[in-house]
Structure formats: structure tokens, C-alpha cells
Amino acid sequence: MEYLLVHFPRDRRVLVNDEFNGRTEELIELEAGTHTIALGPPYNFTPAFKKIRLVDTSALTPREIDFDLAE
């Protein structure tokens, strides 16, 4: 099991491989491998998505990624 933490200034649902799987600022458990991460609506964030590879994470040291508010 691998762990991901997604940061965004507002509470938002997190899409993993086009399926909702958790929320921002909450630890998300995923299988190891490559995943496409995005946020749910409203679509006022950037970038539109991030493609990441999850390996060698733990609940104490998750992979962390950031999305920013779009202007």
C-alpha cells in the first residue's frame, strides 16, 4: 500500500485515475504504480492534473503534491 497527500487551499474531492478517492489534506491509500491525480469541481485549480508514480511511501512519509488556485 502507498500513501498520497494532496494539498489545495480549499477542501476538494480528489480524483485518482478519473475516480473520486478521498479529499484534499487527507491521507489517501493507493496501490503502487503510476496514477493521474486531479481535483473535483469547481475547476479553478492548476495544473489540470498531475501524473505521478507512487513507490516507497508510508503513512508517515506520504508522497505530497500541490495544486494551486487558478486566477
Side-chain angles (χ1 to χ4, degrees):
M1 192 59 55
E2 300 296 329
Y3 298 88
L4 173 67
L5 186 58
V6 179
H7 300 288
F8 187 64
R10 299 189 177 139
D11 181 49
R12 194 64 58 84
R13 292 169 64 184
V14 175
L15 284 134
V16 179
N17 304 324
D18 294 322
E19 293 185 14
F20 288 111
N21 190 338
R23 300 191 78 79
T24 54
E25 308 306 328
E26 294 179 358
L27 201 59
I28 299 171
E29 294 182 9
L30 299 168
E31 296 296 321
T34 302
H35 301 281
T36 301
I37 311 300
L39 301 179
Y43 299 105
N44 61 343
F45 57 88
T46 185
F49 66 91
K50 290 190 176 190
K51 192 164 198 150
I52 63 166
R53 181 158 172 76
L54 278 181
V55 291
D56 299 326
T57 65
S58 73
L60 297 177
T61 58
R63 170 75 185 270
E64 297 186 46
I65 62 172
D66 297 293
F67 287 89
D68 297 312
L69 275 171
E71 294 186 24

